[in-house]
Amino acid sequence: MMRSGGMAAALALLSTPALAAHWNVDYGKSRLGFQVNWGGTPFVATFKSWKADIDFDPADLAHARTQVTIDIASEASGDAETDGGLKGDQGFAAPQFPTAHFQASNFRRSATNQYVASGTLSIKGVSRPIRLPFALTLSGNMAHVVGKAQLLRTDFNVGTGEWQKADPVAHEVTVNVDLVATKT
């Protein structure tokens, strides 16, 4: 027979929510960036500085969550002139809005090793819901995530003034995630 103190401890353990596994991103092996059609040619850029806080367990999606902070000034495409314009007032306005944020706490499995994170992306002070479909490969304590999210740059006021039109820069943007992480 269990003592009342033992019963209380057992009930406390049963009512404690499970915690999804925490993952540490290997930023040297991971990439976060975007692609947009610019003048009929794909324009590809990455963010060199970003941080992700990830809790995820495929067996416990109810407790999965992620928070990503992106240093907008770290955008790089290899074309310094274009990068400077992108970071300027008519683009990301990096001096006024130095970071972008993605937060998600709604995850669902869409197929074997395929998931969708639904969350909020904030750029230039504008927040919009987005979905990030991704493939997950697990190998021991290592994870590899590859995903793409589709969005409209104009929803976030990126590309104002002469850049607001869909020509030469398309409104549709693909955000690319290629992430390697280790479970802690």
Side-chain angles (χ1 to χ4, degrees), residues 3-21:
R3 294 177 182 221
S4 63
M7 178 77 85
L11 287 174
L13 284 174
L14 290 174
S15 65
T16 302
L19 295 176

Side-chain angles (χ1 to χ4, degrees), residues 152-175:
L152 297 174
R153 65 179 175 82
T154 52
D155 284 352
F156 298 92
N157 297 325
V158 175
T160 61
E162 68 182 289
W163 300 104
Q164 191 166 4
K165 294 180 183 177
D167 184 24
V169 183
H171 288 172
E172 300 81 9
V173 176
T174 301
V175 176

Side-chain angles (χ1 to χ4, degrees), residues 92-110:
F92 286 117
Q96 296 85 10
F97 303 98
T99 57
H101 300 277
F102 175 66
Q103 295 183 320
S105 58
N106 183 341
F107 291 79
R108 70 173 175 79
R109 184 182 325 267
S110 60

Side-chain angles (χ1 to χ4, degrees), residues 140-156:
N141 286 335
M142 298 294 292
H144 184 207
V145 171
V146 176
K148 294 179 182 284
Q150 304 296 319
L151 57 91
L152 297 174
R153 65 179 175 82
T154 52
D155 284 352
F156 298 92

Side-chain angles (χ1 to χ4, degrees), residues 25-26 29-31 50 52 54 143-146 177-181:
V25 175
D26 183 338
K29 295 179 181 176
S30 300
R31 300 286 173 266
W50 53 281
I54 303 169
H144 184 207
V145 171
V146 176
V177 177
D178 189 341
L179 175 114
V180 175

